[in-house]
């Protein structure tokens, strides 16, 4: 059974969410603050985490940062409608998605299912002739979930890895924001393109010599992004 950790300090929000998730067949863990959330993760690693950013004690962003040091478990942030800065910070430190309050349960469930499908994708689904991808200084071993840049191993969270893999498989081809979101986040993704832009920014910081003047992962204004092979 899939286990979801719900981290929410407001009982009036947490209780109905837990009820609905259990009704839909999920095993649910609860935490009302950051300290209890970290303890729950350490004791029994959940399959996904719904993480409110405004928590007493340890903040949601700090909880996310600590979890990402050891785990790639999918994390969906729950934020207030106007918490744009917190949302971006959360994505930059490794959250997979976000939903803003007030949200519909149907929307939240769609996001949970989407991140779970991505997490469950098996390396065996990758064809042998696509096992190793290379563009310029970047080497990707798909089955091992490994990335090297200039010969140095670089750790990428799952979403950034999938984004990099997609761009390299379509090297020198422009992919629109809609295409990328459909292929990486899934066709049922209901957020906006800012999530993609944040992930691109974070990916550039790991693969580019100068992230402010990218030569590999380039923006095509008005369309989307493309990976450029410097040796082509």
């Amino acid at each position: 059974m899939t286990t979801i950790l719900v981290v929410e300090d407001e009982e009036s929000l947490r209780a109905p969410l837990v009820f609905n998730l259990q009704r839909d067949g999920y095993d649910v863990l609860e935490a009302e603050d950051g300290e209890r959330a970290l303890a729950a993760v350490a004791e029994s690693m959940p399959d996904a985490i719904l993480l409110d950013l405004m928590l007493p004690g340890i903040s949601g962003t700090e909880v996310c940062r600590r979890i990402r040091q050891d785990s790639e478990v999918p994390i969906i942030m729950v934020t207030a409608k106007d918490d744009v800065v917190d949302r971006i910070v959360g994505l930059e430190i490794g959250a997979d998605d976000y939903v803003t309050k007030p949200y519909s349960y149907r929307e939240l469930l769609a996001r949970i299912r989407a991140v779970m499908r991505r997490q469950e994708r098996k390396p065996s689904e990758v064809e042998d002739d696509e096992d190793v991808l290379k563009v310029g200084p970047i080497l990707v071993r798909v089955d091992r979930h490994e990335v090297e840049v200039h010969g140095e191993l670089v750790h990428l969270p799952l979403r950034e890895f999938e984004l990099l893999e997609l761009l390299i498989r379509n090297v020198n081809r422009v992919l629109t924001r809609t295409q990328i979101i459909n292929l990486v986040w899934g066709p049922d993704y209901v957020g906006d393109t800012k999530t993609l832009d944040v992930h691109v920014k974070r990916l550039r910081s790991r693969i580019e010599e100068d992230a402010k003047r990218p030569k590999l992962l380039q923006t095509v204004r008005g369309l989307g992004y493309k990976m450029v092979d410097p040796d082509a």
Side-chain angles (χ1 to χ4, degrees):
M1 181 181 292
T2 300
T3 300
I4 297 177
L5 171 61
V6 175
V7 187
E8 170 61 66
D9 62 313
E10 295 185 40
E11 173 68 19
S12 61
L13 297 177
R14 189 175 70 250
L17 177 55
V18 170
F19 173 82
N20 285 325
L21 289 170
Q22 290 174 335
R23 182 192 58 189
D24 284 326
Y26 294 99
D27 183 27
V28 183
L29 303 174
E30 301 179 54
E32 61 188 34
D33 57 39
E35 185 175 353
R36 289 180 175 85
L38 292 172
V41 171
E43 183 176 344
S44 54
M45 176 62 70
D47 298 298
I49 300 173
L50 302 179
L51 177 61
D52 186 26
L53 289 191
M54 299 299 292
L55 296 172
I58 304 174
S59 70
T61 50
E62 178 64 14
V63 170
C64 181
R65 188 189 67 79
R66 293 190 191 183
I67 292 173
R68 274 292 171 264
Q69 290 176 348
D70 304 306
S71 172
E72 294 182 4
V73 58
I75 298 175
I76 299 176
M77 301 181 304
V78 181
T79 72
K81 185 176 181 179
D82 297 326
D83 289 342
V84 177
V85 174
D86 286 339
R87 220 159 40 228
I88 292 174
V89 170
L91 290 171
E92 288 181 340
I93 62 177
D96 295 274
D97 204 349
Y98 69 85
V99 64
T100 57
K101 299 177 182 177
Y103 55 80
S104 72
Y105 176 69
R106 182 178 179 182
E107 174 191 355
L108 182 61
L109 190 60
R111 291 175 184 267
I112 292 171
R113 289 171 174 168
V115 297
M116 292 303 299
R117 281 197 300 272
R118 290 189 292 272
Q119 185 75 1
E120 290 168 359
R121 192 178 70 174
K122 301 293 192 263
S124 59
E125 295 176 7
V126 180
E127 306 242 345
D128 289 342
D129 61 351
E130 297 178 332
D131 201 33
V132 178
L133 308 174
K134 190 176 187 309
V135 170
I138 305 171
L139 180 69
V140 180
R141 294 185 178 89
V142 178
D143 59 339
R144 301 183 191 178
H145 195 91
E146 288 182 353
V147 176
E148 291 183 12
V149 180
H150 293 293
E152 298 290 330
L153 279 174
V154 176
H155 172 74
L156 294 184
L158 178 63
R159 192 65 57 79
E160 289 178 46
F161 184 90
E162 291 179 338
L163 177 59
L164 177 62
E165 180 186 350
L166 174 66
L167 290 166
I168 290 182
R169 289 194 190 283
N170 293 275
V171 65
N172 295 322
R173 175 185 174 191
V174 178
L175 296 177
T176 68
R177 285 178 165 80
T178 300
Q179 287 175 317
I180 295 172
I181 288 174
N182 284 342
L183 291 168
V184 177
W185 277 260
D188 54 356
Y189 177 73
V190 292
D192 56 38
T193 60
K194 290 180 182 178
T195 299
L196 169 60
D197 296 335
V198 170
H199 280 78
V200 167
K201 178 182 177 182
R202 197 166 62 194
L203 183 57
R204 280 173 171 160
S205 71
R206 305 181 197 276
I207 66 172
E208 298 278 2
E209 291 186 6
D210 184 350
K212 294 183 179 179
R213 297 177 178 82
K215 295 181 179 180
L216 300 171
L217 206 176
Q218 296 187 1
T219 300
V220 181
R221 193 170 300 278
L223 289 175
Y225 297 100
K226 70 174 180 178
M227 182 67 69
V228 176
D229 185 354
D231 301 322

